[in-house]
Amino acid sequence: MRIHAFHRLYQDRLQRSTKPFLARGSKIARCSFCHVPCEHCLCEYQPDIETAVAVMLLVSENEVFKPSNTGRLIADTVKETYVYQWHRTEPDPQMLALISDPAFFPVLVFPAQTEQDRARQLLSIPKLNDAKKPLLIFIDGSWREAKRIFRRSAYLASLPILSIEPEHLSNYLMRKASNEQYLATAEVASLVLSLCGEEKGAEALHIWFEAFKESYLLGKSRLKPVRDKPALKRWQAYQQTV
């Protein structure tokens, strides 16, 4: 299994925490890497593909501790993923340097809501054969937290926006959103990867998300669980083709 930036942020936050984070399902024994119940651990099936994009995750205060988080699935899939804890007044200097790095074309993925936001929207999607590598920036947190981060981060204010308007309702059943059309972070990332021409990454992330959701819900359901795991089998079959 590949240890990536999301895992490292989780371990760092865990070491610095003065009290446990008690999310729903906190009594379940979970793998410290994939965060599904230990009996359904997915680490041995982690994606191992190559992608031509980079991703940055800005993680809200407690999102890194939530077992239902799907940002870690992006880091599983896109090997060049950078993960930073969000701070309004003390942003990470390495994060700021990455955003201004001339080798990258940074794009903030967030739904445009005002005329000012819409004025920043991209007219075309950065393609993989462009001179600069797309750096796709996702805010990883609840919708309320994401809006706050978006509005209170001066270093994001000048970045072009890629606004995703999904044509289908979210398939994310693990956490109730205030609006059913808000997608999980991994769902959004899969759509964006496809728009950038990274079809292999988009497909892998989508199927991996389904396998994660299945294993997560097996530990949550009070009903007799379905043990044949069709989503995981689909992922295993996909792995044989890449």
Side-chain angles (χ1 to χ4, degrees), residues 116-131:
Q116 189 176 20
D117 295 344
R118 285 186 276 274
R120 295 165 55 192
Q121 285 191 83
L122 283 174
L123 298 179
S124 61
I125 307 300
K127 298 300 181 181
L128 301 181
N129 57 356
D130 289 349

Side-chain angles (χ1 to χ4, degrees), residues 175-190:
R175 190 189 307 172
K176 184 174 177 60
S178 57
N179 186 317
E180 289 183 342
Q181 294 194 36
Y182 295 143
L183 303 180
T185 307
E187 289 179 295
V188 175
S190 179

Side-chain angles (χ1 to χ4, degrees), residues 76 89 96 159 165 222 235:
D76 285 342
T89 58
L96 298 179
L159 297 180
E165 300 295 338
R222 296 181 180 179
W235 170 252

